[in-house]
Amino acid sequence: MMLTGRIISEESGDGIPGAEISIQRLGRIESIRSGVDGRFSYEPPISGEYSIVRVVSEGFQPFAPSARMPGLVVSVDEEEVVDGLVLALKSLGYCEGVVHGVDGRPVSNAKIRFLTTGRWDPSSGVPESVESNLDGQFKIPFVPDALLQAELNGTFSGIHCLCIASECPFVMDLDADAAQAELKYVEGHVLDSAGHPVAGVQVSATDAEFRRTKIMGDVAPVDDGGVDMGILLSALEMEPRQETVTDDDGSFLIGPLEEDEYDVFVSKDPESMKTVKAGARDVRLRLPPAGQISGRVVSELTGEAVSGFSYLIEKYWREGEFARGRIRDSLRHRGIVHDARGRFEISNLPAGVYRLRILADGFQRSVRSTVKVAAGERTQLTISLTAGHLLQGIVTDLETGQPLAGARISEHEPRHQGLWADAVDEVSSLGTPGVVETAADGSFRLTVTEDALWASSSGYRSWVVREPASWSGPLRIALSPLRKDAAPGVEFGGVGIVWASEQTSVGGVQRLTISGVLDGSPAERGGLAAGDAMLAVDGAAAEWEEASSVGARIRGEVGTPVRLRLWRSSSRQEYEVVLTRARLMESD
């Protein structure tokens, strides 16, 4: 029996050497480390179910899923080798700040301590503290919803929360009247409907005032004038919280927490919520009778088991919307499974209707939009996955025409480092992400399942292909070298049309309208103008279609033609134009 796999960087696809990997079996945890290329191997002592519960490496966000998901679960039988496990870690984001003394001047050697580790597991490798330099400045890992306090020679600052609403760089002022933080905990038990303790369930505590503000509407509770409101509202949907898991006797201890009121509830059952003050003890949360979903994932073509996949399950609420739309009713649970027979089981689910999404490398995403779960019952499913589209291509340098070896081809958009939005993003390609690297001759083969594909390489602008499954022949991608002081970005092959936000009615038919064209683009040279309505692309009607669908048909390989038929309202005439696709830059 053997488990083998690789720890990689989500951004580069490179292996991460020396990563610490914790593997759990029946409560016992063993640790191993990845090799120089990020690969690891583990020989289970007995057959059964194992979980990778933690992966930590300096400079990367930890994979410590106990508060959000059950880890990567692997079933191993005798004489079986489980190979190809992949865990992708995000690069660690950092925040900068400065500590001011009581006189308002920057101070050195102040300790900035993590009072809590926010959404991250306490064992995820967060440093206990950092120190300010001679200019009072410091740099600290961004740990979403962590609480910080600065201290110098017995003088303390107030408590600072690392959340997306914080200004960065942020200022921590020492105050002679401030005291060392005395944060409190909430203690209690989780019981089933018969009053028996329930072990191993997640319990959440969220600031009650924050949640009430979100429920009142889409007005952000915090706006310091320096934060984009769209990003801030996204942060509210992320449900800042402290989390823990119940012990064998059903008990939990959650915190430390600030002096405030908190909504405490079982993560899978928001209706179990109780509002208590920090420091409360003997809080009892009762679960209603729960059901479970189990089944197999197989290939639609061959009927064979799909051994590695991830799932995301979301609950509908009474009015039919997804429960995640309101913080008080949120229920969203994900997991990663590797089982030779394709088996999976999701237990302790409150009764109701769910949507279940299954994603496996090399297959199209499967979505079951209505999965009913009844209390005390097991819902059995067989999920058949459709194979993705095998795409072949070559990546070259635009200026020299030479093939690029080691370029990254991915179904996930490359990330620009240092952005707060990236730092708090909890959606990760953990599992088996669709990522390959080009060979020495610049060639690649990838089974695509998504509606976009990105090519990227260090020192070059990225390239995006919309609807790659529509490509029948080899895909040729030429990346633009980045010159000094040039802005990075994403390029594509297109004609430079900017669509209006709404469709217009022409003769009772809904058609897309152009709001403008890019300067110097093929669309401008071809005479397209604002107000023109799109009738057809390469002879195929574009009526009633969304901009993304029509745009994907217009985009394509640089240097190839596309024939457009349009309607000009000013002259009340149709006209046709053939444009040659050019290299353009995507706008934000």
Side-chain angles (χ1 to χ4, degrees):
M1 294 184 292
M2 185 70 68
L3 299 180
T4 66
R6 195 169 182 230
I7 310 299
I8 66 171
S9 163
E10 186 183 85
E11 288 79 14
S12 68
D14 296 334
I16 301 175
E20 183 182 353
I21 305 153
S22 298
I23 301 175
Q24 179 175 286
R25 162 70 177 168
L26 298 176
R28 180 185 176 188
I29 295 180
E30 295 183 66
S31 292
I32 59 175
R33 289 191 178 273
S34 59
V36 292
D37 57 355
R39 299 189 183 279
F40 67 88
S41 61
Y42 172 73
E43 186 173 355
I46 58 174
S47 61
E49 195 170 88
Y50 291 79
S51 296
I52 297 179
V53 294
R54 188 170 74 108
V55 180
V56 178
S57 182
E58 186 176 354
F60 292 89
Q61 295 185 35
F63 173 58
S66 59
R68 283 282 178 184
M69 55 191 288
L72 196 162
V73 180
V74 183
S75 295
V76 184
D77 294 330
E78 291 184 7
E79 300 183 359
E80 180 184 4
V81 175
V82 177
D83 194 10
L85 300 178
V86 178
L87 281 172
L89 302 185
K90 294 175 183 290
S91 293
L92 188 61
Y94 287 88
C95 303
E96 295 179 348
V98 61
V99 180
H100 288 163
V102 293
D103 58 359
R105 297 179 180 179
V107 295
S108 61
N109 301 118
K111 287 188 178 294
I112 299 90
R113 291 190 171 88
F114 276 96
L115 303 175
T116 74
T117 54
R119 300 185 207 174
W120 289 5
D121 188 279
S123 63
S124 58
V126 175
E128 182 180 337
S129 66
V130 298
E131 286 193 3
S132 59
N133 62 19
L134 294 175
D135 297 318
Q137 299 170 343
F138 63 90
K139 190 175 181 180
I140 200 163
F142 184 86
V143 181
D145 303 327
L147 299 179
L148 307 174
Q149 186 176 42
E151 182 266 336
L152 179 64
N153 299 328
T155 303
F156 298 88
S157 71
I159 298 172
H160 191 100
C161 178
L162 276 183
C163 63
I164 201 170
S166 304
E167 290 187 10
C168 187
F170 57 86
V171 177
M172 303 187 76
D173 295 312
L174 298 179
D175 186 343
D177 296 326
Q180 184 173 2
E182 294 184 5
L183 302 179
K184 299 182 178 181
Y185 293 78
V186 171
E187 300 178 48
H189 288 80
V190 175
L191 308 174
D192 62 19
S193 56
H196 301 134
V198 182
V201 297
Q202 300 164 7
V203 180
S204 302
T206 302
D207 184 279
E209 182 179 359
F210 191 96
R211 291 165 67 86
R212 300 297 180 272
T213 305
K214 173 65 182 76
I215 291 168
M216 289 171 61
D218 291 332
V219 179
V222 180
D223 180 12
D224 58 12
V227 178
D228 179 83
M229 288 299 294
I231 295 177
L232 186 56
L233 289 174
S234 297
L236 298 185
E237 294 293 342
M238 292 178 187
E239 310 169 52
R241 62 175 68 178
Q242 295 281 337
E243 295 182 309
T244 190
V245 176
T246 57
D247 294 332
D248 292 340
D249 62 354
S251 64
F252 65 86
L253 179 69
I254 192 166
L257 305 170
E258 293 184 82
E259 188 71 47
D260 211 341
E261 283 194 338
Y262 288 83
D263 290 343
V264 181
F265 56 95
V266 174
S267 304
K268 285 187 178 180
D269 181 34
E271 291 185 281
S272 65
M273 181 187 74
K274 288 189 176 181
T275 302
V276 300
K277 288 187 176 182
R281 299 184 176 183
D282 200 26
V283 176
R284 293 181 178 268
L285 304 177
R286 286 190 177 270
L287 292 177
Q292 58 186 203
I293 297 173
S294 63
R296 293 183 70 226
V297 179
V298 300
S299 167
E300 182 182 62
L301 181 63
T302 65
E304 296 179 354
V306 177
S307 60
F309 55 90
S310 61
Y311 67 82
L312 174 65
I313 187 166
E314 300 169 283
K315 188 176 187 293
Y316 292 94
W317 197 235
R318 294 188 183 94
E319 292 81 8
E321 81 276 18
F322 283 117
R324 72 177 187 275
R326 298 184 299 185
I327 284 181
R328 63 182 174 185
D329 302 329
S330 63
L331 181 103
R332 199 176 195 210
H333 183 65
R334 68 177 71 241
I336 306 171
V337 175
H338 196 290
D339 185 278
R341 297 179 178 85
R343 300 168 299 186
F344 70 94
E345 183 174 294
I346 311 171
S347 57
N348 294 321
L349 293 172
V353 179
Y354 292 80
R355 179 173 74 172
L356 176 64
R357 292 191 285 175
I358 302 289
L359 180 63
D361 191 30
F363 294 89
Q364 297 180 24
R365 178 183 287 114
S366 171
V367 178
R368 290 289 185 95
S369 57
T370 53
V371 180
K372 294 183 179 180
V373 175
E377 296 184 8
R378 179 195 299 266
T379 300
Q380 292 277 2
L381 299 175
T382 298
I383 298 177
S384 299
L385 300 184
T386 303
H389 174 70
L390 180 61
L391 185 68
Q392 302 181 64
I394 185 170
V395 181
T396 60
D397 183 299
L398 175 65
E399 296 183 355
T400 67
Q402 295 298 310
L404 286 177
R408 184 173 185 252
I409 314 298
S410 171
E411 294 182 302
H412 310 284
E413 183 173 6
R415 300 179 182 275
H416 300 294
Q417 297 305 301
L419 298 181
W420 283 72
D422 288 348
V424 300
D425 183 14
E426 296 234 346
V427 180
S428 175
S429 57
L430 292 169
T432 50
V435 179
V436 297
E437 291 183 357
T438 56
D441 61 355
S443 65
F444 69 88
R445 291 164 57 95
L446 175 67
T447 302
V448 293
T449 59
E450 302 293 330
D451 57 2
L453 189 73
W454 282 268
S456 59
S457 185
S458 178
Y460 292 83
R461 283 179 173 156
S462 300
W463 185 266
V464 63
V465 178
R466 304 292 176 182
E467 294 195 351
S470 64
W471 288 77
S472 56
L475 176 63
R476 300 183 181 278
I477 299 173
L479 299 185
S480 301
L482 271 176
R483 297 304 179 192
K484 185 178 181 181
D485 299 327
V490 180
E491 294 181 320
F492 68 99
V495 300
I497 294 174
V498 181
W499 300 110
S501 58
E502 296 181 358
Q503 292 182 331
T504 59
S505 178
V506 180
V509 179
Q510 294 294 319
R511 291 172 176 147
L512 290 167
T513 302
I514 296 173
S515 67
V517 295
L518 301 180
D519 292 341
S521 67
E524 184 187 53
R525 294 192 296 271
L528 278 66
D532 292 354
M534 187 64 60
L535 302 181
V537 179
D538 286 333
E543 300 170 350
W544 303 102
E545 287 196 51
E546 299 291 336
S548 59
S549 176
V550 174
R553 288 202 279 145
I554 295 175
R555 292 184 177 199
E557 188 173 357
V558 173
T560 60
V562 60
R563 181 163 52 93
L564 306 177
R565 184 158 50 90
L566 302 103
W567 165 268
R568 180 157 289 171
S569 58
S570 60
S571 61
R572 302 189 63 78
Q573 291 183 340
E574 293 184 12
Y575 71 96
E576 193 167 284
V577 62
V578 176
L579 304 178
T580 301
R581 298 179 176 99
R583 180 177 295 267
L584 302 170
M585 179 81 78
E586 279 203 337
S587 57
D588 293 334

